[in-house]
Amino acid sequence: MASAASELDAPTGERRATADLSIEKIAGELTALLGPGKVSVRSDDLELHAADKWYARNLPDMVVFAESTQDVSKTLRFASKLSIPVTTRGAGFGYVGGCVPVGGGIALSVARMKKIIELNPADGVAVVQPGVITGDLQQAAHAVGWDYPPDPASLKDCSIGGNVATNAGGPRCLKYGVTKNYVLGLEVVLADGRVLRCGGRVHKNKTGFDLCGLFTGSEGMLGVVTEVTLRLIPKPPARAMLAAVFADFPAAATAVQQILNRGHLPSALEITDSFTLAAARKRLGPDSLPEGQAHLMVEVDGRPSAVKSEIKELESLLQELGAGEVRKATTPKECEALWQLRREFSYSLRDTGLTKLNEDIVVPRSALVDLVEFARRLEEDTGIPVACFGHAGDGNIHVNLMVADFEDPAIREKAENALDQLFAWILDHGGAITGEHGIGLAKKPWIRQALGDVSFAVHKTLKEALDPQGLLNPGKFLD
Ligand SMILES: Cc1cc2nc3c(=O)[nH]c(=O)nc-3n(C[C@H](O)[C@H](O)[C@H](O)COP(=O)(O)OP(=O)(O)OC[C@H]3O[C@@H](n4cnc5c(N)ncnc54)[C@H](O)[C@@H]3O)c2cc1C
């Protein structure tokens, strides 16, 4: 296996001049081009743009704080003339090292482009700049009775541009889909500085190839997203939730299938395994959760009367399927308390003092039990504890390898061998190595295996067509 470690070992702090120009000279020319206050070579700015929430870091040579599409276009035209690498950064809340500027050069921040340009319920669209924080857009839509459903757990911090570039998901994808299902139109600056517009503000559009689909999920390697037109939907006026504990994981997974087979389409279906529950009981006290080795949370939303009758039916169904105590939440405050309990599960894993390698794998839903059984075997074989929980309805389970210290080379090697086994199993069982976080650096070693030779070659062809010099986010999964 090629090792992700090689990316981590990229020389930190190496500052390269381009051709015969010094970094200071390049920064000066860019400042003259963009105007004052938009280009920085200050070490604190370089540090702040060296990493995301994964483990790799590398300093850029300079940071450009773009404030408009023109700034992005001028920067890319300039960079392309001088062959300077450019790594776009949204909020830096990625989980796979995607915005780490491993090639040095320019870290292009779009964080200042954070205007909600238009919220238009009549057309069911929002037009936003890429630096808008996802949670802010959601709040703004709610304020006018509308909704932008994609809800990554990081929504208070991550940006819409980052969500588009990673095709972010979240707990409500089962019913509402992922980011790409809401992207109607994009403005993208290409590597040579040209500005491309694709899609538009209509809800159906079959004009030409699906370029919005191509750029969505392209992890900053095909262009820089500078404006996004998103689909909004009417906000469901009511929601309610159930939380149940089952004797074992297979019983909870059976409940997932039964809920869907009986014609329910919950907005969320979250499952949690015994390792995570044990950690939660330690954090919250032994009586915090009824006895049982698996936890299931179900959320439904819609018109108030429909939600009321559906939650009653689901409560009976869970009891019929052998759930222990079933907790019900019917007000926004009670629902929030149950989601808070779910969030405590993650914090409980942190309490173990181990480092969580959060792998957002996906399996066909019928393989959930096999996956968790495999995780137990992996734990026994490698001695690395494995915690599984996540979006059961999508088969998108976060498999967390709990390691002592990922930066210790011996531990990292052992963890990467365990990841090798995990991803091989996932691919053998018709799954995907990432459902929402993307490839970035974290999953680069497994990309060819995951895509296959022909698909990988087509990816490279597309990259070469749009970015012939390979300047956009170099060092990532196509290199
Ligand atoms: C605690 C936590 C919970 C999370 N939960 C979820 C979850 O539930 N679901 C989920 O999907 N993800 C989740 N994530 C991962 C992360 O939040 C998402 O990947 C998010 O979309 C990243 O957005 P960002 O603005 O932080 O992007 P960044 O980290 O800044 O960048 C991510 C990638 O997008 C590219 N990029 C950013 N902006 C642009 C742009 N304007 N144009 C072109 N390329 C761009 C970057 O080059 C990079 O490759 C979580 C992360 C954390 C830390």
Side-chain angles (χ1 to χ4, degrees):
M1 181 198 81
S3 166
S6 54
E7 308 308 329
L8 295 171
D9 296 339
T12 300
E14 185 189 324
R15 315 227 321 156
R16 321 162 182 72
T18 299
D20 52 352
L21 290 176
S22 71
I23 286 162
E24 285 66 26
K25 181 119 199 305
I26 293 171
E29 287 191 11
L30 257 175
T31 300
L33 201 63
L34 302 176
K38 295 181 186 171
V39 182
S40 174
V41 291
R42 282 173 39 168
S43 59
D44 54 343
D45 281 330
L46 302 185
E47 287 289 344
L48 281 173
H49 293 78
D52 62 1
K53 302 298 170 195
W54 197 61
Y55 304 94
R57 62 182 291 107
N58 195 52
L59 294 181
D61 294 316
M62 67 197 71
V63 182
V64 169
F65 297 97
E67 294 179 6
S68 66
T69 301
Q70 289 71 24
D71 285 349
V72 173
S73 173
K74 283 179 189 171
T75 303
L76 291 191
R77 189 163 292 141
F78 177 86
S80 126
K81 233 187 257 165
L82 294 179
S83 302
I84 301 170
V86 178
T87 302
T88 310
R89 183 184 179 91
F93 263 73
Y95 249 162
V96 292
C99 67
V100 176
V102 286
I106 297 170
L108 175 57
S109 169
V110 294
R112 289 185 188 169
M113 296 175 68
K114 55 178 185 201
K115 216 179 289 157
I116 296 178
I117 299 166
E118 183 187 353
L119 259 185
N120 189 325
D123 286 347
V125 299
V127 182
V128 303
Q129 289 188 317
V132 167
I133 298 300
T134 311
D136 292 348
L137 173 63
Q138 230 176 48
Q139 292 290 321
H142 290 175
V144 293
W146 283 67
D147 197 12
Y148 173 67
D151 61 341
S154 52
L155 66 91
K156 289 201 176 95
D157 299 295
C158 63
S159 73
I160 291 292
N163 292 175
V164 171
T166 57
N167 192 15
R172 296 200 292 166
C173 295
L174 171 64
K175 182 169 180 181
Y176 290 108
V178 293
T179 302
K180 79 170 175 197
N181 301 113
Y182 294 84
V183 175
L184 297 176
L186 290 177
E187 179 186 79
V188 181
V189 181
L190 301 176
D192 59 9
R194 282 180 300 158
V195 180
L196 167 124
R197 293 191 76 93
C198 52
R201 59 187 292 125
V202 288
H203 290 243
K204 283 181 174 171
N205 189 342
K206 173 54 203 88
T207 315
F209 291 160
D210 179 10
L211 294 185
C212 289
L214 176 65
F215 288 106
T216 304
S218 63
E219 301 193 23
M221 294 191 293
L222 299 183
V224 180
V225 175
T226 47
E227 190 186 287
V228 189
T229 303
L230 293 163
R231 179 164 76 94
L232 300 179
I233 62 167
K235 184 174 175 339
R239 64 175 173 149
M241 294 178 73
L242 298 171
V245 177
F246 284 84
D248 52 31
F249 195 90
T254 302
V256 168
Q257 296 291 8
Q258 285 301 321
I259 287 168
L260 297 167
N261 283 341
R262 301 269 182 111
H264 299 282
L265 182 55
S267 45
L269 254 180
E270 296 284 305
I271 202 165
T272 304
D273 77 345
S274 56
F275 182 99
T276 314
L277 289 183
R281 289 189 177 106
K282 221 177 198 174
R283 177 182 170 91
L284 305 169
D287 301 329
S288 56
L289 289 157
E291 255 178 59
Q293 298 298 312
H295 186 266
L296 188 66
M297 256 174 51
V298 189
E299 183 184 71
V300 290
D301 63 7
R303 307 298 307 166
S305 56
V307 168
K308 200 168 162 194
S309 73
E310 187 167 22
I311 209 74
K312 217 164 146 198
E313 272 181 50
L314 282 165
E315 190 179 12
S316 306
L317 178 59
L318 291 182
Q319 280 157 352
E320 186 191 310
L321 293 168
E325 182 190 316
V326 180
R327 289 184 189 168
K328 185 156 65 174
T330 54
T331 64
K333 198 169 159 204
E334 288 169 352
C335 290
E336 183 44 35
L338 283 188
W339 277 115
Q340 186 51 38
L341 176 70
R342 165 69 171 72
R343 275 177 225 126
E344 293 291 341
F345 293 168
S346 302
Y347 302 138
S348 310
L349 291 180
R350 255 188 249 161
D351 287 354
T352 61
L354 298 168
T355 301
K356 188 161 73 110
L357 297 182
N358 178 345
E359 306 303 334
D360 67 318
I361 55 88
V362 197
V363 289
R365 205 164 42 225
S366 61
L368 279 182
V369 173
D370 292 345
L371 169 68
V372 170
E373 284 171 358
F374 170 77
R376 295 284 80 88
R377 288 200 299 279
L378 188 65
E379 182 173 294
E380 277 164 27
D381 293 350
T382 62
I384 298 174
V386 182
C388 300
F389 65 92
H391 320 315
D394 307 315
N396 182 198
I397 298 295
H398 293 254
V399 175
N400 298 278
L401 270 60
M402 308 295 294
V403 299
D405 178 4
F406 191 57
E407 290 181 39
D408 174 317
I411 294 175
R412 193 196 297 164
E413 191 184 340
K414 198 168 149 190
E416 285 183 341
N417 285 334
L419 291 178
D420 259 351
Q421 292 179 52
L422 171 67
F423 294 144
W425 189 92
I426 296 299
L427 295 173
D428 276 354
H429 288 76
I433 63 174
T434 171
E436 43 186 31
H437 296 163
I439 299 292
L441 292 171
K443 294 203 169 114
K444 182 177 168 180
W446 297 278
I447 186 69
R448 275 176 185 257
Q449 196 182 343
L451 286 177
D453 289 342
V454 177
S455 176
F456 187 77
V458 171
H459 275 70
K460 288 207 58 113
T461 304
L462 289 167
K463 170 75 171 166
E464 279 154 20
L466 288 168
D467 178 18
Q469 293 193 75
L471 296 177
L472 291 179
N473 207 354
K476 300 296 159 42
F477 70 77
L478 289 177
D479 291 342

